[in-house]
Structures are given as C-alpha cells and as structure tokens.
Amino acid sequence: MTSHAMVEPIDPANSDRLTLEDVYEVIASSSRLDNPEAPVLTFDEAIGRLKNPQPGLGQVLRWAVRRGNHVVGLASLYFPEAENSHLGLLELTVHPRARRGGIGTAVLRTITPELRVRGRTVVECWNITEGGAGASFGTARGFEAVSTTVLQMLSISTVDRSVWEVEPPIGYRLVSWCGLAPDELLASYAEARRAIADSPFGRSAFRFPAWTAERVRESEADRRHREIDHRVVAIVRQDSDEVVGFTELQVYPHRKNFAYQGDTAVLAQHRGHSLGFCAKAAMLRWLQTERPEVEQVMTSTTAANPYMVNVNLALGYRSARRMVILACETEKLAQLLRA
Ligand SMILES: CC(C)(COP(=O)(O)OP(=O)(O)OC[C@H]1O[C@@H](n2cnc3c(N)ncnc32)[C@H](O)[C@@H]1OP(=O)(O)O)[C@@H](O)C(=O)NCCC(=O)NCCS
C-alpha cells in the first residue's frame, strides 16, 4: 500500500454525508475521464446504485481507500452464488488525481484473502474499456482479457422510432409482463432463458444460470424487493403456451431516466425469423408508452455475436465503445502480489 493510503471497509447505507460526497467525487470524476460518452450519474443515482446493487450477483463487500481526510478510491467485490460460486467480481475505481500511486494494487492485496476464504478461485473485472487505464492496470497485475463486449446506447429523443413498428411473423405471438411471468408460461420461459447459454462469452469463468421455474420466481421476488421495474417480452408459439424466446429490460428506482436492455435469446430451432428484433422493438415501443421519462437505453453484447450487435444498430442503438472482461486466478494474483 502507498504510505499515505488506507483501504477500509465501507457500507454506503451507513456512511456519513461527507464520506458519500467523496465517494461520489471518485465515481463522477472517473466517469468523465474514462467514459466521456456516458452521462455522468447524479449523486443520488451513484449512491443509490451502491445501496441497491445489481440483482443476481450475490453478496457484496465494499472498501473505500482514504488518503488524508478524503476518499480517493472505491472497490466492490461481489460473490455470486450457485454455478458461479468459484468467482469473485471486482469493480475498482481510483480518483484520476490519485492514480499511479499504488492504490489499485493495494486494493488487490486487500481483496485476495477475501477471495481465498470464500473459495473464489478466479477474480474477474467486467466492463473495462478496451485499451484504457483499467486494461493496462490489469495486464500489469497478471490479469488477462478473456472476452470482449460492445457497449451500445440508444437515445430515445433522436432515434427513428418507425423501425420499431414490426409485427411478429406468422405462427408467433408476443406476451409482455412486468415483474411476474404468467403461471402458464413459467416453465417454458425458464427453459427459454437457458438458451442464453448459447451466447459466446469467450474464456470468462462466468457460467450462465441453469434457470428453473423456481429460480425465475426467486429472481422476480429479489427484483421486486429492490423495486426494480423488470419487463419481459416473450415470443410465444401461436395457439400454445410455448415460449421460444424473450427479451428483458430493467429500470432501477435510483435512475428513472435510464433503462438497461438485458438478455435476449431465441431457441435454436426458431432462429432466422427476426424474432429477437421483433421482441426488442416491441419492448422499446412499450417502454416509450409506459416509461416516457426514460431518455436512454444501454446494452452490452459480446463482440463475438455480431448478429445481435447489428440487430441493436438496426433498432437505433449506436456502438459507444468496446469493453473487455479481465480475469486472473486468485492463487496467481496472490503469488504476483507477493513477488
Ligand atoms: C485501473 C485503476 C483502478 C488503477 O488504479 P491505480 O491506483 O492507478 O493503480 P496502481 O497505481 O496500483 O497501478 C499499478 C500498475 O498498473 C499499471 N498501470 C496502471 N494504470 C496505468 C495506465 N493508465 N497506463 C499504463 N499502465 C498503468 C502500471 O504498471 C502501474 O504501475 P506503475 O505506476 O508503477 O507503472 C484506475 O486507473 C481506475 O480507476 N481506472 C478506471 C476504472 C477501471 O478501469 N477499473 C478497472 C480495474 S481492473
């Protein structure tokens, strides 16, 4: 650790206002430098995100790095469960003015014992800008880029919405819901969700969940508890309750003008009919009607899936930047940090 910096656990839900203002300054100044094309979060959005973390990623531990009286760095380490209980997911941000002083490395030293004690054999950092500071830091500290994704953004006010006016092809119907899948579609929907595992995810150690009806209901309850508006458009075979594909989108309570387009999948035997485009277009029409305050939609897609990247372009998204997933085995990291 640098002689002046201390890495300390932090709980944003129980932190004083001055600490949170410092934390916000780390997040906002880094965002302006590292992601200049993205809107900078407001204080409430950024702190709301820390207090209400993304669902499905398990328990999270957070640390603040203090230098003198100020917070100059923030780290969050997620411990996903079930098929991902071998994995730790790290988010790490150092204030631009405090970089290259060993703070990022000090955080790696702090998290390594936490990874070990929880049996997390691999640590990954997601959404790292290709060619940016995070990628250089990762390379210097033994991480490898294992997958590349494309971040795409859609601006509701400027997009040509006429391209969203498409009907499902003959033989299919669309069924939409907020928060709770209809009972009669539940089992089939869980099965369709498993088709996302066909999406190429490079050499990341992340494993897609083996969705079951029970796990769908658990995840729905978790989102309700976090007050997330989770919307699904399912593609259903006409005259049946067979879900053959779906797309999902969510809006968080702390960021009401922003939507995250999540997973989209179509079962292999139903591909080639533009069903993914049709479901995503229906989702955007629905969003525009029911959540007119949403100004931007964001999505990230693996670069090895140019088909879905192009579907998004056709819907009016623009590609903002390429990002990588960095991965390192915990034992390798521990060894390199000792050296
Ligand atoms: C990545 C980040 C956390 C690094 O924090 P940091 O405190 O500057 O990291 P360190 O000082 O411990 O850097 C350790 C080594 O990584 C390498 N490194 C770090 N940043 C670098 C950069 N911008 N360019 C080239 N090498 C870099 C260097 O080898 C450095 O050692 P050196 O300064 O002695 O040459 C910081 O740049 C940041 O917040 N970036 C934006 C968020 C992000 O991408 N996070 C992902 C983390 S995996």
Side-chain angles (χ1 to χ4, degrees), residues 230-270:
H230 181 233
R231 291 166 182 262
V232 174
V233 174
I235 308 146
V236 182
R237 235 174 147 148
Q238 202 67 267
D239 305 322
S240 85
D241 286 333
E242 187 193 346
V243 176
V244 302
F246 74 97
T247 191
E248 68 177 347
L249 174 143
Q250 46 194 32
V251 180
Y252 286 84
H254 54 268
R255 205 176 182 194
K256 293 193 162 60
N257 60 356
F258 208 85
Y260 295 84
Q261 164 67 58
D263 288 353
T264 302
V266 174
L267 296 181
Q269 60 274 34
H270 295 276

Side-chain angles (χ1 to χ4, degrees), residues 20-332:
L20 292 180
E21 279 173 5
D22 270 2
V23 165
Y24 175 63
E25 171 58 21
V26 171
I27 294 170
S29 57
S30 297
S31 167
R32 279 189 284 270
L33 177 70
D34 302 313
N35 311 319
E37 82 292 342
V40 177
L41 298 181
T42 63
F43 177 88
D44 287 343
E45 288 167 351
I47 302 303
R49 180 177 178 273
L50 294 178
K51 290 181 179 170
N52 189 3
Q54 218 179 311
L57 296 184
Q59 193 209 348
V60 56
L61 295 181
R62 299 191 199 274
W63 292 267
V65 187
R66 285 183 191 274
R67 201 167 61 184
N69 292 329
H70 286 290
V71 175
V72 293
L74 178 71
S76 305
L77 186 59
Y78 294 85
F79 300 98
E81 288 154 11
E83 44 281 276
N84 287 304
S85 52
H86 58 295
L87 195 58
L89 299 176
L90 173 67
E91 283 176 5
L92 167 60
T93 311
V94 174
H95 193 292
R97 279 201 303 269
R99 291 183 186 176
R100 304 301 292 267
I103 288 175
T105 307
V107 167
L108 294 182
R109 287 209 170 87
T110 303
I111 66 159
T112 307
E114 301 292 346
L115 293 164
R116 277 177 152 171
V117 83
R118 288 171 174 78
R120 308 295 166 142
T121 53
V122 181
V123 55
E124 292 195 350
C125 305
W126 290 9
N127 304 331
I128 306 299
T129 303
E130 194 177 53
S136 302
F137 168 77
T139 309
R141 291 294 170 254
F143 286 74
E144 235 190 300
V146 291
S147 180
T148 305
T149 53
V150 181
L151 177 80
Q152 296 180 292
M153 313 271 295
L154 182 143
S155 167
I156 298 277
S157 62
T158 55
V159 71
D160 172 9
R161 299 173 204 181
S162 66
V163 296
W164 303 343
E165 300 298 333
V166 283
E167 290 295 321
I170 292 169
Y172 300 96
R173 64 191 171 105
L174 299 181
V175 181
S176 309
W177 63 82
C178 268
L180 202 65
D183 284 338
E184 68 279 11
L185 298 184
L186 180 61
S188 178
Y189 169 57
E191 204 168 310
R193 288 209 68 119
R194 290 205 290 273
I196 192 74
D198 296 349
S199 165
F201 216 51
R203 289 177 295 120
S204 166
F206 178 79
R207 299 283 160 261
F208 288 102
W211 288 102
T212 59
E214 198 185 5
R215 285 180 78 171
V216 168
R217 285 291 187 239
E218 279 168 17
S219 129
E220 289 172 343
D222 183 38
R223 285 182 164 92
R224 262 198 310 282
H225 174 70
R226 295 165 193 263
E227 295 176 38
I228 295 169
D229 178 3
H230 181 233
R231 291 166 182 262
V232 174
V233 174
I235 308 146
V236 182
R237 235 174 147 148
Q238 202 67 267
D239 305 322
S240 85
D241 286 333
E242 187 193 346
V243 176
V244 302
F246 74 97
T247 191
E248 68 177 347
L249 174 143
Q250 46 194 32
V251 180
Y252 286 84
H254 54 268
R255 205 176 182 194
K256 293 193 162 60
N257 60 356
F258 208 85
Y260 295 84
Q261 164 67 58
D263 288 353
T264 302
V266 174
L267 296 181
Q269 60 274 34
H270 295 276
R271 292 181 191 153
H273 304 292
S274 299
L275 292 173
F277 182 93
C278 175
K280 282 185 150 181
M283 178 67 88
L284 289 166
R285 293 197 306 271
W286 188 26
L287 185 72
Q288 188 206 341
T289 310
E290 291 209 354
R291 301 291 307 242
E293 71 277 25
V294 171
E295 293 160 8
Q296 302 222 50
V297 189
M298 189 182 93
T299 191
S300 76
T301 306
T302 172
N305 187 356
Y307 169 77
M308 193 50 85
V309 172
N310 287 333
V311 162
N312 293 335
L313 292 175
L315 287 163
Y317 285 82
R318 65 182 172 81
S319 296
R321 73 191 135 102
R322 282 164 68 90
M323 304 181 299
V324 289
I325 295 178
L326 299 174
C328 188
E329 284 174 13
T330 304
E331 287 315 308
K332 177 181 169 192

